[in-house]
């Protein structure tokens, strides 16, 4: 009834065809839910975008289970899922685009990734400002709207100009980026 797809290590161009095939297989078998178990420092933006598109296209319930970290491209993939659960000590964010040598991408690339993150967050009812701040350290804010309420933000270092946003598990839950906490798959299934 449930498919589990691990997304670990570096996200490369070999991963999207595997994800697409597995989603189609799950749809044919009539499963209700796909759990993407994510633990990655990221990888290629083009690969992550293809995976995001495949996840958004399916009618199956999609759940990101961040088992420690969803950094960079992993954050985009996580945001594309309908539900996000994280282990204690987990982390999501730091999604600015860099080239193969680790240098920050051009404004064109940063602009694309910033709005790719924001539009994905918007599609899933999550905060666009936080999603943009994961990509662009030039953004800053003091207040956010979360569940219809204005909240003063003083516990996210990345809300300040010059800092990228990365959220701990508790911060992600507080600011409606994650839906809850689970330490393992059994705990996740109980939610």
């Amino acid at each position: 009834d449930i498919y589990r797809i691990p997304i670990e290590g570096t996200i490369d161009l070999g991963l999207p065809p595997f994800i697409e095939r597995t989603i189609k297989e799950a749809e044919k078998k009539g499963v209700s839910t796909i759990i993407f178990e994510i633990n990655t420092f990221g990888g290629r933006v083009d690969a992550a975008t293809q995976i995001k598109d495949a996840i958004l296209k399916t009618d199956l319930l999609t759940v990101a289970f961040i088992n420690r970290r969803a950094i960079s491209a992993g954050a985009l993939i996580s945001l594309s899922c309908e539900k996000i659960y994280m282990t204690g000590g987990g982390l999501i964010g730091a999604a600015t685009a860099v080239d193969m040598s680790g240098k920050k991408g051009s404004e064109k690339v940063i602009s694309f990734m910033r709005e790719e993150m924001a539009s994905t967050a918007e599609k899933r009812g999550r905060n666009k400002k936080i999603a943009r701040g994961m990509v662009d350290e030039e953004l800053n804010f003091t207040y956010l709207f979360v569940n219809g309420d204005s909240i003063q933000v003083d516990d996210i270092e990345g809300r300040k100009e010059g800092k990228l946003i990365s959220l701990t598990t508790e911060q992600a839950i507080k600011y409606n980026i994650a839906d809850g906490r689970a330490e393992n798959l059994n705990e996740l299934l109980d939610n």
Side-chain angles (χ1 to χ4, degrees):
D1 203 29
I2 293 174
Y3 262 42
R4 178 189 155 272
I5 302 174
I7 298 178
E8 299 177 326
T10 302
I11 296 166
D12 60 25
L13 286 173
L15 194 54
F18 167 73
I19 300 287
E20 290 165 4
R21 276 192 316 273
T22 308
I23 289 173
K24 283 181 183 154
E25 183 180 303
E27 290 170 340
K28 282 181 186 169
K29 289 190 175 183
V31 305
S32 63
T33 306
I34 299 176
I35 298 171
F36 296 90
E37 188 169 355
I38 300 170
N39 186 12
T40 180
F41 287 104
R44 293 183 60 116
V45 171
D46 52 354
T49 302
Q50 290 172 38
I51 294 167
K52 175 208 87 154
D53 291 345
I55 292 171
L56 289 177
K57 205 175 351 178
T58 187
D59 290 331
L60 300 177
L61 174 64
T62 54
V63 178
F65 174 45
I66 301 172
N67 191 353
R68 300 294 168 241
R69 63 197 54 84
I71 305 302
S72 194
L76 178 62
I77 294 167
S78 297
L79 286 174
S80 70
C81 293
E82 290 173 69
K83 300 283 183 187
I84 299 174
Y85 288 86
M86 299 173 68
T87 57
L91 197 64
I92 182 172
T96 200
V98 295
D99 63 21
M100 297 304 265
S101 66
K103 289 174 45 181
K104 183 178 173 183
S106 68
E107 173 52 30
K108 179 179 178 179
V109 172
I110 298 299
S111 174
F112 165 78
M113 187 64 174
R114 179 178 55 235
E115 296 312 312
E116 189 77 13
M117 292 282 287
S119 68
T120 305
E122 180 179 61
K123 168 78 174 161
R124 295 303 191 194
R126 301 190 190 281
N127 194 288
K128 294 186 303 184
K129 273 189 182 178
I130 288 179
R132 283 185 179 113
M134 289 180 179
V135 178
D136 191 345
E137 73 274 6
E138 293 179 20
L139 303 178
N140 65 59
F141 54 86
T142 306
Y143 291 91
L144 289 174
F145 282 99
V146 178
N147 299 324
D149 292 328
S150 177
I151 298 176
Q152 182 174 0
V153 180
D154 58 8
D155 61 343
I156 299 176
E157 183 65 17
R159 71 182 163 73
K160 302 173 188 170
E161 191 169 342
K163 307 282 185 185
L164 287 176
I165 291 179
S166 292
L167 300 176
T168 66
T169 300
E170 298 310 315
Q171 289 171 324
I173 294 167
K174 177 180 179 180
Y175 293 109
N176 196 31
I177 292 295
D179 297 288
R181 181 180 180 157
E183 292 306 314
N184 53 52
L185 283 172
N186 288 335
E187 236 180 80
L188 176 63
L189 294 173
D190 287 341
N191 287 319

